[in-house]
Amino acid sequence: MDKTKIIVVEDNIVYCEFVCNLLAREGFRTVQAFHLSTAKKYLQQAADGDIVVSDLRLPDGNGIDLLRWMRKEGMMQPFVIMTDYAEVHTAVESMKLGSLDYIPKQLVEDKLVPLLRNILKERHTGRSRMPLFSRDGSAFQTIMKRIRLVAPTDMSVLIFGENGTGKEHIAHLLHDKSKRAGKPFVAVDCGSLTKELAPSAFFGHVRGAFTGADSAKKGYFHEAEGGTLFLDEVGNLAPETQQMLLRAIQERRFRPVGDKSDRSFNVRIIAATNEDLEKAVHEKRFRQDLLYRLHDFEITVPPLRDCQEDVMPLAEFFREIANRELECDVIGFDGEARKTLLTHAWPGNVRELRQKIMGAVLQAQTGLVTKEHLELAVTRATSPVSFALRSDAEDKERVLRALKQANGNRKVAAELLGIGRTTLYNKLEEYGLKYKFQQS
């Protein structure tokens, strides 16, 4: 079984133990939560690939309350409701909010494991992955050129970027445009791997290799054979794991824990980090020789605050996804909501934008998203944004782009450019654009 955790939310301790033991026998890792409040704490630390199995009735709420809270917070982990109460309207409500299935408790023993295996199978084939959005901003056009250049090769690629910028989406694009596109894409959360777990996780183990190894297990390298191994947040690997990984990459071979012979592999390595690895090397937290192995080619994903021309197209994209997943009918954003979106600094980048849009659509249900639905304070970016005026040759293009994003609103455009309205008016007159946009 992979690193997926099943978060079992059930207030009946005996029944919770029963479900967890049932899943453990099938190789699933489980976490128990007896209250809605405890489940929320676990979910705030959960990985995107984890799965929630929740009782409908809980001491401090119900499973639908938990599901609604998750979707509002932008948590899109698969969710399965189980209950003694075979109420059709409850099933419909849970499915509307994004529950994958609704299982009566008397059928859990027969139906839960096959359902979870089907979820994992769909995830492995990529069908459950969020659609990739083609961004048209200048920064991402540069990135796409680099992707097209390096994707057909077997060069290792290191992707740099802040948390939430979409580094894994870039890795998926590299895989999808490569000669390995029909083979597996295996993502590894390096931050979750301790030095004790890493050997088995990467290379697998044979039956009886250690206490509790009742069956053989394939590692990430085996699972990714012929395809792409994506090492997310690679800077978090323990020094011992770095050395082990370096040797495998150098020799193109690995040995499962407890085995007596090595196995060769054919995978492409793509890694990502939000850290300055050169600094980590200098501070002796990261091996320089491993950095060289991972760093054949570099792609840097800019923060969203430097790509403000992408904010509204991304917001509309996430609105459409939210409408489908939450069965809402939100048609757009009002003027104040657009201004709020365009002037927010987005410290959480694209991930934060997605979470806020999901929550706003859930609250709005129909019509237009308002500023209040977004629950965002208007802030200014702490670093220069992509609209900032830099040179005479670029100014006209940036002014036009800012006005387009602001729907012609000169006040908002001036805020995006980081200049006063009077300066903007002077620029418009200088470029012969004074009458092109309506006064606002």
Side-chain angles (χ1 to χ4, degrees):
M1 195 55 58
D2 64 10
K3 62 179 181 176
T4 300
K5 289 197 300 292
I6 313 300
I7 301 173
V8 180
V9 189
E10 165 64 64
D11 64 316
N12 184 318
I13 298 175
V14 174
Y15 192 76
C16 190
E17 287 283 353
F18 165 75
V19 174
C20 289
N21 288 336
L22 170 70
L23 297 177
R25 286 198 301 270
E26 298 295 328
F28 289 94
R29 298 166 57 200
T30 61
V31 174
Q32 298 179 5
F34 305 128
H35 297 81
L36 187 146
S37 56
T38 307
K40 288 182 177 180
K41 290 178 182 177
Y42 284 139
L43 280 161
Q44 286 169 342
Q45 304 298 322
D48 289 343
D50 291 344
I51 300 171
V52 181
V53 177
S54 176
D55 188 11
L56 177 62
R57 305 298 173 96
L58 298 166
D60 52 346
N62 61 54
I64 292 177
D65 291 336
L66 178 60
L67 178 57
R68 186 178 287 111
W69 172 81
M70 285 175 60
R71 298 309 185 237
K72 182 179 177 181
E73 294 295 316
M75 299 176 184
M76 303 309 297
Q77 288 92 345
F79 195 101
V80 177
I81 285 279
M82 56 181 184
T83 184
D84 290 323
Y85 305 87
E87 299 167 318
V88 174
H89 74 275
T90 307
V92 170
E93 187 176 357
S94 70
M95 297 295 281
K96 180 178 178 180
L97 283 170
S99 173
L100 286 181
D101 215 329
Y102 178 88
I103 305 178
K105 284 188 176 179
Q106 60 266 33
L107 300 178
V108 162
E109 191 168 4
D110 295 327
K111 291 187 173 292
L112 181 56
V113 169
L115 173 61
L116 295 178
R117 291 197 186 284
N118 189 55
I119 292 171
L120 295 178
K121 181 180 178 182
E122 289 188 355
R123 178 181 296 162
H124 185 68
T125 57
R127 290 199 297 273
S128 63
R129 174 159 51 94
M130 181 187 291
L132 294 174
F133 177 70
S134 178
R135 293 168 62 173
D136 295 327
S138 56
F140 260 77
Q141 289 308 303
T142 300
I143 287 175
M144 288 305 300
K145 288 179 183 176
R146 292 182 69 79
I147 288 173
R148 287 191 291 269
L149 186 66
V150 76
T153 75
D154 277 334
M155 295 174 71
S156 297
V157 180
L158 188 54
I159 305 170
F160 293 96
E162 294 179 8
N163 284 333
T165 51
K167 298 186 289 296
E168 185 167 349
H169 276 201
I170 299 298
H172 274 292
L173 282 171
L174 285 163
H175 176 74
D176 292 345
K177 294 180 181 297
S178 74
K179 294 176 288 187
R180 300 172 179 268
K183 299 295 183 179
F185 176 96
V186 176
V188 180
D189 177 9
C190 294
S192 68
L193 291 178
T194 64
K195 63 181 180 181
E196 292 80 15
L197 292 175
S200 175
F202 277 116
F203 307 139
H205 61 252
V206 299
R207 182 179 180 182
F210 48 82
T211 303
D214 299 327
S215 60
K217 173 185 176 293
K218 296 178 180 178
Y220 295 130
F221 275 89
H222 191 145
E223 292 177 3
E225 179 61 27
T228 300
L229 183 63
F230 174 55
L231 306 177
D232 194 16
E233 299 306 345
V234 70
N236 292 331
L237 289 174
E240 297 85 351
T241 306
Q242 293 177 35
Q243 182 176 2
M244 178 192 74
L245 193 59
L246 173 65
R247 182 172 181 180
I249 294 172
Q250 284 176 333
E251 299 179 4
R252 309 299 294 179
R253 300 180 69 82
F254 67 90
R255 179 176 297 187
V257 177
D259 207 344
K260 296 180 180 179
S261 58
D262 290 347
R263 301 181 187 182
S264 60
F265 65 85
N266 173 25
V267 302
R268 185 200 196 161
I269 305 289
I270 299 176
T273 183
N274 63 359
E275 248 198 290
D276 181 344
L277 289 187
E278 293 286 357
K279 181 181 178 182
V281 167
H282 180 71
E283 295 174 353
K284 302 192 183 304
R285 292 184 289 108
F286 200 83
R287 295 182 64 104
Q288 188 168 54
D289 42 8
L290 178 58
L291 177 57
Y292 289 153
R293 287 286 176 177
L294 300 175
H295 201 176
D296 289 341
F297 194 84
E298 175 184 321
I299 292 177
T300 299
V301 187
L304 188 56
R305 61 181 172 273
D306 288 350
C307 305
Q308 284 195 318
E309 66 266 43
D310 289 335
V311 170
M312 288 313 304
L314 279 169
E316 296 288 359
F317 173 66
F318 293 138
R319 176 186 59 78
E320 291 174 4
I321 289 177
N323 274 336
R324 288 198 303 270
E325 294 187 356
L326 304 177
E327 293 190 8
C328 295
D329 189 25
V330 172
I331 60 174
F333 303 87
D334 71 12
E336 281 299 306
R338 290 177 63 90
K339 178 180 176 181
T340 302
L341 289 167
L342 288 167
T343 54
H344 186 65
W346 300 111
N349 294 296
V350 178
R351 183 181 298 140
E352 180 190 3
L353 175 63
R354 176 171 175 258
Q355 290 174 344
K356 291 299 182 182
I357 298 302
M358 294 295 291
V361 168
L362 182 62
Q363 291 191 76
Q365 293 286 312
T366 60
L368 295 173
V369 167
T370 67
K371 175 182 176 180
E372 288 70 31
H373 291 142
L374 290 168
E375 298 180 350
L376 271 176
V378 178
T379 57
R380 291 184 179 275
T382 56
S383 66
V385 297
S386 61
F387 290 131
L389 302 182
R390 301 173 187 178
S391 67
D392 290 340
E394 297 176 342
D395 278 4
K396 184 175 180 179
E397 177 192 348
R398 295 181 185 281
V399 166
L400 285 169
R401 193 146 38 98
L403 283 162
K404 180 181 177 182
Q405 286 299 306
N407 272 358
N409 187 310
R410 296 180 181 183
K411 180 181 177 182
V412 175
E415 290 177 0
L416 293 176
L417 291 162
I419 60 178
R421 292 180 72 175
T422 302
T423 303
L424 176 60
Y425 297 155
N426 291 337
K427 290 286 183 183
L428 292 175
E429 187 164 7
E430 179 183 345
Y431 300 136
L433 302 172
K434 184 175 180 179
Y435 303 105
K436 184 175 176 65
F437 295 90
Q438 292 297 318
Q439 179 71 33
S440 56

